[in-house]
Amino acid sequence: MWHPVGELPARVYWRRRLVVLIVLLGVLGGAGWLGFTLLAGRDDDAAASDASRPLPEPALARVVPSLSAVATPDPPPVTPAAAAAQAAAPAPTAGGSCTDAMLALEVRTPRTAAVGSKPTFELAVGNVSAVPCVRPLDKNLQEIVMFDAAGTRVWGSNDCFPEATVDARTLAPGEVVTVPLVWSGLTSEPTCTAERVAPAPGTYVLRARLDTKVSPDATLALE
């Protein structure tokens, strides 16, 4: 094959083979270029089609509506009655009755006392408003009650020696009135018929009352 035999010179056969090879290469190259052109044109058409097609809506947007589409209800109108209810409470009248909100009530103790002794407690009533006011400090409206650690009532100031007096006080703004009360050091109950004994050592709670006003708790340790 590589050594042509014939009547013509060998270079003639080599030229023919070279021409055939060039033609063959040209045909193959043209076919390849044509295929590449067709594929490139198809890709361009697909890209143009995708660009003109609208983007699909995200899955989340199909589930959760846009906030701009959500209508917010208008607040209800404020009626005159509602406006009056929202208005601040009127200021207290000077010289009027002292309401519970205008008073501070406190029971004061010596903190510690010996079992069986007779400590003195104080009922402190103060006007915390900005105007003077009147409050009855009648003895029958005052009371101090003692409880043990379990919450059991141990003693009350009105159990055995109730008093009835009339004592209306005008309290100036910031004024504090203290009423002393001596405890006998013994237990009691409202009918004052049970045996009265000295409470056992321990910590006790005292709570004061002036009619409907109740004080915070104070402690007394009996030793």
Side-chain angles (χ1 to χ4, degrees):
M1 178 179 181
W2 295 104
H3 300 283
V5 178
E7 298 178 354
L8 298 175
R11 63 178 178 274
V12 174
Y13 296 103
W14 282 111
R15 289 195 189 101
R16 291 177 181 176
R17 292 178 180 178
L18 182 60
V19 171
V20 172
L21 181 61
I22 292 174
V23 171
L24 181 59
L25 292 176
V27 172
L28 293 175
W33 178 83
L34 179 61
F36 174 79
T37 302
L38 291 176
L39 290 176
R42 190 173 299 172
D43 291 341
D44 292 340
D45 293 341
S49 177
D50 291 340
S52 61
R53 186 181 308 163
L55 295 176
E57 186 179 20
L60 182 62
R62 294 195 298 269
V63 177
V64 181
S66 172
L67 292 179
S68 60
V70 178
T72 56
D74 296 331
V78 179
T79 62
Q86 296 175 359
T93 303
S97 298
C98 298
T99 64
D100 288 350
M102 300 168 66
L103 295 180
L105 186 64
E106 179 186 8
V107 55
R108 299 172 180 174
T109 74
R111 301 296 182 184
T112 61
V115 173
S117 64
K118 297 181 179 181
T120 298
F121 305 140
E122 287 185 344
L123 184 68
V125 183
N127 180 4
V128 294
S129 72
V131 296
C133 59
V134 179
R135 182 75 178 220
L137 301 183
D138 303 353
K139 289 291 185 180
N140 55 301
L141 299 179
Q142 305 173 23
E143 185 179 27
I144 298 178
V145 180
M146 179 184 293
F147 302 89
D148 63 14
T152 303
R153 189 180 188 274
V154 175
W155 166 81
S157 60
N158 293 344
D159 290 346
C160 297
F161 303 100
E163 297 183 59
T165 61
V166 177
D167 185 8
R169 299 283 186 96
T170 299
L171 303 176
E175 182 181 0
V176 177
V177 175
T178 58
V179 180
L181 188 149
V182 179
W183 176 41
S184 64
L186 302 177
T187 60
S188 67
E189 47 85 26
T191 64
C192 199
T193 57
E195 181 183 3
R196 305 187 65 192
V197 298
T203 300
Y204 293 82
V205 172
L206 287 97
R207 188 178 304 148
R209 176 182 65 85
L210 177 62
D211 196 10
T212 56
K213 180 70 174 181
V214 180
S215 75
D217 292 345
T219 59
L220 175 69
L222 295 179
E223 301 173 346

